Every structure is written in structure tokens, then in C-alpha cells.
Amino acid sequence: MSAPPPVPVGTPETTGNGDTARAALEALRSEIAKAVVGQDPAVTGLVVALLCRGHVLLEGVPGVAKTLLVRALAASLELDTKRVQFTPDLMPSDVTGSLVYDARTAEFSFQPGPVFTNLLLADEINRTPPKTQSSLLEAMEERQVTVDGTPRRLPDPFLVAATQNPVEYEGTYPLPEAQLDRFLLKLTVPLPSREDEVSVLIRHSDGFDPRDLKSAGIRPVAGPADLEAARDAVARTKVSPEIAGYVVDICRATRESPSLALGVSPRGATALLSTARAWAWLTGRDYVIPDDVKALALPTLRHRIQLRPEAEMEGVTPDSVITSVLAHVPVPR
């Protein structure tokens, strides 16, 4: 998935608000680029997740600006953000909040946890036990937290951006399939190219401080109102029966792949259609084409399939399986 091209002049849109919102979200890329170099696909993926009310799993080695990316996005969108470092001793109440006894009133009051924010950065989510990992399930799916039998709504927008290290597994707890399926996208954050890495070093030598985004000149270029207008426009993006059938055929093909023990579920098919609609709107169209589905297939499906052990030993990867499926499933005309 690459960044969407500039919006064509004269693109038809049902409302002027949609054009304004698209222009505002397009400006995010250049704003975030003031702090993060060469990660346009990840930026676009996060925007797609916000448009679809989904969550993102960011995978990359340490030091590729995963945390900085989320912070820069929140600053550019004027959204509240909090970060939780997931460790083996982290408790569910450390994420969701808990009841605290007030000696002055002799009553218990709810103390909200860091999950009550717009963008929650769950850093190294696979380093905490399943009990704490599962504390996010209700928040991610229902947009609420239940403590002592009382449901409490989370703010809107709400996005969990969880990170994990793909090369260090000692002392980690792999996310179960049920929780992986709650993430709309799994984005890989690669090492930068030589040119981008040189640019990073020059910025640091010129005094750039990743802990001080204001000094980098990052300012809000969009807000919750733009995001809501964009979501409304995405919801009006047309999907033909042929495109819906194409999405279903792709997902059914994964279930028949000899390399997979687990294929894409109907929830995965729904997710792929949703992300393809958001991508179509970002590229300036009010209808989905097969290329939109192909563009979002890898980040939307790669974490929803499970390889057979013998396929893993042969060097097969989830991405290679999905790429093969895309090459063999007939494209609607």
C-alpha cells in the first residue's frame, strides 16, 4: 500500500464537506513528514483505520519511529493521545482504570485509565500476559469499558495503535487469534532507505528533538469535524455486487489454500471491503474498483491467516500466500 495520489481537480463529490475533509487529511502526510521520514504507507494506513473506526497493529524493529508516528498523527489531528508500555507485570486495571476509595466521602469513585483517550499507543503489546492483553478487547470492539458492572463509553474517535517487535520473541506472549482479528490493519514499518536515513541524521544534527513535536513545526491541520465528514463521505462510497463478490472470492480462496491452517473469516471480508472503500475515497473516487481491494489486501488480511507448520518451514509467509491468491482470483471487469 502506497500513499494516495493528490486529489484530481474536479473530482465529483456529493458534498463540499467531503472535498474539504479529504484535503485536510491529505495535508496530514506533509505535516507528519516534518517529524517522520519515509513512512507514507504507515501514515495512510493509520488514516484509513481512523476512517473505518478500526485499530492498527504496527510491526517493526526498534528505532523505526513507530511511537513518533502515532504522536505526530495525534498532534496533526488535534487529538488526545496516551502511551502505555506493556510489561509482564502490567495489570488490566492499569489500562482500563479502577475504583478508588475516597476516605473523605466514604465512597468508591472511578479513576479512568489511559484507555480513555483518542489514540492509545499500546507499546510492545506482546510483552504483557494474555489477561492484560484481553483487557483491551471490550474497548476495541464495543468502544466502552465495564468496571464493577458499569459500562463507560470511550471518546470518539478512538483508535488503538499497538506495536510489536518482529525479531525478539523471548519473554513475549503472542497475541491470540481472537485479538489479532480485532485489528483492522497490520502495518509493517520498515527500515528507511539510505536517502531517508541520511535525512534523519541531518535533521537530528540540526537540533530536531523527537520528544518536542512543537519545535519540529507540527501543527493541527485537521480535526474531529474533518474526520466525521470524511467518515460520512466514505459511507457513501459505492460498492458494486461484482466488487463485493471479488472480496468474497479472495477470502474464500485463502480458506482453500494448502499452505494455511486458518483462512480469512467473514469478519476479515467485511474489513477488506471497509478499507477498500476508505482507500477509494482517499484517492478521489466515490466508487470502489478492484485495484482498491488489491491495495489494501495485504495490510487487512496478513494477520487474519495462520500458516501450516510445514509451510512455515518451507519459507512461506502470509504476504506470499495473499499475493498468490490475488494473482489467481479472477478480477471482475
Side-chain angles (χ1 to χ4, degrees), residues 104-128:
R104 293 174 298 178
T105 62
E107 294 180 349
F108 285 93
S109 61
F110 178 67
Q111 183 67 36
V115 75
F116 286 85
T117 186
N118 296 124
L119 269 67
L120 176 68
L121 177 61
D123 222 349
E124 295 188 285
I125 191 172
N126 57 338
R127 292 203 171 277
T128 198

Side-chain angles (χ1 to χ4, degrees), residues 184 238-256 263-278 280 287-298 300-301 304-305 322 325-326 329-333:
L184 182 71
K238 301 177 184 67
V239 178
S240 68
E242 291 77 15
I243 292 296
Y246 182 50
V247 170
V248 169
D249 290 343
I250 290 172
C251 295
R252 291 181 69 87
T254 64
R255 301 169 203 163
E256 299 167 1
V264 178
S265 68
R267 191 203 322 248
T270 302
L272 180 55
L273 187 61
S274 177
T275 56
R277 292 177 81 184
Y287 57 92
V288 179
I289 62 175
D291 283 348
D292 300 324
V293 177
K294 291 180 179 180
L296 271 296
L298 283 176
T300 308
L301 303 181
R304 303 176 190 273
I305 60 178
I322 296 170
V325 166
L326 292 174
V329 172
V331 179
R333 299 297 179 186

Side-chain angles (χ1 to χ4, degrees), residues 22-73:
R22 187 192 290 114
L25 294 180
E26 275 289 312
L28 282 176
R29 283 190 295 150
S30 57
E31 202 64 25
I32 293 173
K34 295 177 181 178
V36 182
V37 179
Q39 298 293 358
D40 272 0
V43 173
T44 306
L46 285 166
V47 172
V48 166
L50 281 168
L51 291 176
C52 299
R53 291 182 168 86
H55 308 284
V56 173
L57 185 61
L58 295 168
E59 187 171 271
V61 298
V64 291
K66 299 187 295 294
T67 301
L68 180 60
L69 176 62
V70 176
R71 291 178 54 236
L73 175 68

